[in-house]
Amino acid sequence: MRAVFWDLDDTVLDTLAGRVEALAGAYEECLGTRPDALALWREHSGRTLEELGRELLGDDGPLFVESYRRRYYAREVPLQPFPGIVETLDALAAEGLELAVVTSKATWGATGELTRAGLLDRFAAVVGWHDSVRHKPDPEPLLVALDRLRIDDPGAVAYVGDTPSDIRAARAAGCRAVGATWAALDARRVRAERPDLLAHRPADVLAWVRRAEAAARGD
C-alpha cells in the first residue's frame, strides 16, 4: 500500500449537526418550508451540494448553495475528529503511507475545517469540489489526488468514505474501497456496495492495511 485517501464529513470530522442546521435553514429560506434535513442528507447519499441545489431549485440552484454555505461557515463551534481518527492517521503515516482528503466539499471549506481541527498538516493533499470538473461517484477527484501525490498505481491506494458515492468513486478509479460505518447516515447502502472492507471504527482501516502489507510481503 502506498496511500490512504479519506472522505471528510462523517468520516474524518464530525460535522453533521452543523450541516443539518445549515441545510434546514437554506431549504426554508429558498423553498419556504422546513424539511427533515437529516433525511434529506441521507437520501443525498454523498453527492455534491451543487447537485442538491439543482434538484431543488433548477437553474436557481446556486442560490441554495450560497444560502447553505453562508449559514454553515458562519458557525464557529469546535470541530472534532471522530474517536480513533488521529491515532489511525498517525499510525499510517508512521508506517510510511501518504494521506490525502478527497471530498465534495468546497476546497477552501475543507482546508479551513482541517486547519481548525488541527489535522491539515497530516495530509499531503486536499482535493475538494473546486479541484475537478466531475465529482463523486465519478473517479476524477481521486485521480486528481493520485496525480498530486505522483502515484501511478491506484491499486496501491485505499479510499475511505461513508457513502455509496465514495465506494463507487474508489472502484471507478481503480482504488481499494473502504466503507466507513462509524458515522454513516445509511450504513446499509454502504454495505450493499460491497466495499473491500467495511470498517466500523478507524482502527479497522489500520488493521486492514497492515494485513494487506503483510500479505504483499508474503508474511
Side-chain angles (χ1 to χ4, degrees), residues 128-144:
W129 187 85
H130 295 87
D131 296 301
S132 64
V133 175
R134 293 177 296 277
H135 309 285
K136 298 182 294 184
D138 191 278
E140 185 178 345
L142 288 168
L143 298 178
V144 170

Side-chain angles (χ1 to χ4, degrees), residues 120-131:
L120 184 62
D121 63 353
R122 287 174 167 83
F123 298 101
V126 177
V127 176
W129 187 85
H130 295 87
D131 296 301

Side-chain angles (χ1 to χ4, degrees), residues 148-167:
R148 289 188 181 176
L149 271 61
R150 299 183 179 180
I151 297 174
D152 56 12
D153 178 12
V157 175
Y159 181 48
V160 185
D162 64 289
T163 70
S165 288
D166 295 321
I167 307 306

Side-chain angles (χ1 to χ4, degrees), residues 44-109:
H44 191 48
S45 291
R47 291 173 294 145
T48 68
L49 182 64
E50 287 73 13
E51 287 177 291
L52 179 57
R54 284 195 300 272
E55 287 179 9
L56 295 175
L57 295 179
D59 291 342
D60 289 331
L63 296 176
F64 179 84
V65 173
E66 189 281 330
S67 177
Y68 172 91
R69 286 187 176 145
R70 171 168 38 85
R71 296 167 184 276
Y72 180 77
Y73 290 108
R75 291 169 50 91
E76 295 186 358
V77 297
L79 286 170
Q80 296 295 330
F82 288 102
I85 283 289
V86 171
E87 294 83 356
T88 297
L89 295 176
D90 288 348
L92 290 168
E95 296 187 14
L97 280 84
E98 295 187 272
L99 305 173
V101 164
V102 181
T103 175
S104 295
K105 192 169 238 171
T107 306
W108 53 265

